[in-house]
């Protein structure tokens, strides 16, 4: 990502320019979706956490994330070089893909240094696993329900109960 784009994104974040002005300034003849995808790929290769945060803002603002990003998101949620784990967990919950089960589980049991004081990521991953609701995700929830961490155990049990109620197993 070049410095000019970083400045434009920061102006958008700060309300100095509108969404439409941003698109006019960035686009030119560029199609925003493919431009976004290329930037995301480069940022992940370079492991640039600051640019990833800026690009995620653009992705959310212009609704640019979709299933084509699942492989990359599944990989990113388990990597320690950035601080977008909770955003990624939210995206994976939204897409509800069985391909994300293993990555969500790994992220739920990983203590990333910058999140050492909270289980918020684990809880988001647990809720995503509950929404995916496949035999594989239920298996991971069962494992998480045996956690020594009270909050992780409680949320995993809650998701398992919610799934059982939804499926009519428990009334």
């Amino acid at each position: 990502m070049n410095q000019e784009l970083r400045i434009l994104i920061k102006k958008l974040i700060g309300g100095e320019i509108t969404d439409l002005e941003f698109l006019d300034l960035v686009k030119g003849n560029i199609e925003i979706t493919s431009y976004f995808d290329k930037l995301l790929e480069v940022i992940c290769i370079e492991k640039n956490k600051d640019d990833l945060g800026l690009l995620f803002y653009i992705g959310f603002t212009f609704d640019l994330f979709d299933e084509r990003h699942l492989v990359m998101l599944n990989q990113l949620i388990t990597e320690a070089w950035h601080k977008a784990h909770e955003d990624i967990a939210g995206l994976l919950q939204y897409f509800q893909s069985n391909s994300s089960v293993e990555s969500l589980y790994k992220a739920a049991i990983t203590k990333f240094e910058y999140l050492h004081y909270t289980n918020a990521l684990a809880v988001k991953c647990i809720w995503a696993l509950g929404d995916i609701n496949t035999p594989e995700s239920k298996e991971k929830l069962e494992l998480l329900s045996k956690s020594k961490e009270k909050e992780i155990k409680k949320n995993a049990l809650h998701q398992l109960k919610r799934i059982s109620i939804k499926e009519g197993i428990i009334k």
Side-chain angles (χ1 to χ4, degrees):
M1 181 180 303
N2 64 41
Q3 189 60 25
E4 182 181 333
L5 182 56
R6 287 183 191 102
I7 291 167
L8 285 176
I9 296 171
K10 289 175 183 177
K11 284 184 176 185
L12 178 64
I13 292 169
E16 296 174 48
I17 58 174
T18 67
D19 293 2
L20 289 175
E21 289 171 327
F22 175 84
L23 288 175
D24 285 341
L25 290 166
V26 170
K27 270 175 83 168
N29 295 324
I30 299 171
E31 200 276 312
I32 192 74
T33 304
S34 58
Y35 184 57
F36 174 80
D37 289 354
K38 287 174 190 166
L39 280 174
L40 184 58
E41 187 178 332
V42 169
I43 287 168
C44 289
I45 290 168
E46 293 175 350
K47 297 183 184 315
N48 186 323
K49 68 180 177 190
D50 296 327
D51 283 354
L52 185 68
L54 292 173
L55 194 64
F56 264 58
Y57 183 85
I58 296 304
F60 286 119
T61 299
F62 297 104
D63 196 25
L64 298 172
F65 289 107
D66 66 24
E67 289 84 1
R68 73 183 181 279
H69 298 111
L70 278 172
V71 171
M72 188 173 294
L73 293 170
N74 287 336
Q75 181 180 340
L76 272 175
I77 198 166
T78 63
E79 295 183 1
W81 60 266
H82 62 85
K83 295 182 178 181
H85 297 92
E86 291 183 59
D87 288 335
I88 296 167
L91 285 166
L92 297 178
Q93 181 176 11
Y94 175 78
F95 294 127
Q96 297 182 16
S97 172
N98 198 49
S99 71
S100 301
V101 169
E102 189 62 35
S103 298
L104 285 163
Y105 175 73
K106 284 180 183 175
I109 61 173
T110 300
K111 287 289 187 185
F112 294 101
E113 188 176 320
Y114 79 102
L115 294 172
H116 68 277
Y117 59 91
T118 180
N119 286 319
L121 174 61
V123 170
K124 286 184 180 202
C125 291
I126 289 166
W127 280 76
L129 289 167
D131 283 352
I132 292 171
N133 190 11
T134 61
E136 294 84 358
S137 69
K138 288 186 242 180
E139 179 184 314
K140 297 304 184 188
L141 287 169
E142 290 286 348
L143 291 172
L144 291 164
S145 74
K146 295 172 175 70
S147 174
K148 292 177 183 172
E149 298 267 351
K150 186 177 176 180
E151 192 173 9
I152 291 173
K153 180 177 185 165
K154 179 182 88 169
N155 278 276
L157 288 169
H158 177 78
Q159 287 304 307
L160 288 166
K161 182 177 179 182
R162 185 175 70 91
I163 290 168
S164 295
I165 291 170
K166 190 176 185 180
E167 294 175 349
I169 297 168
I170 298 175
K171 295 196 181 206

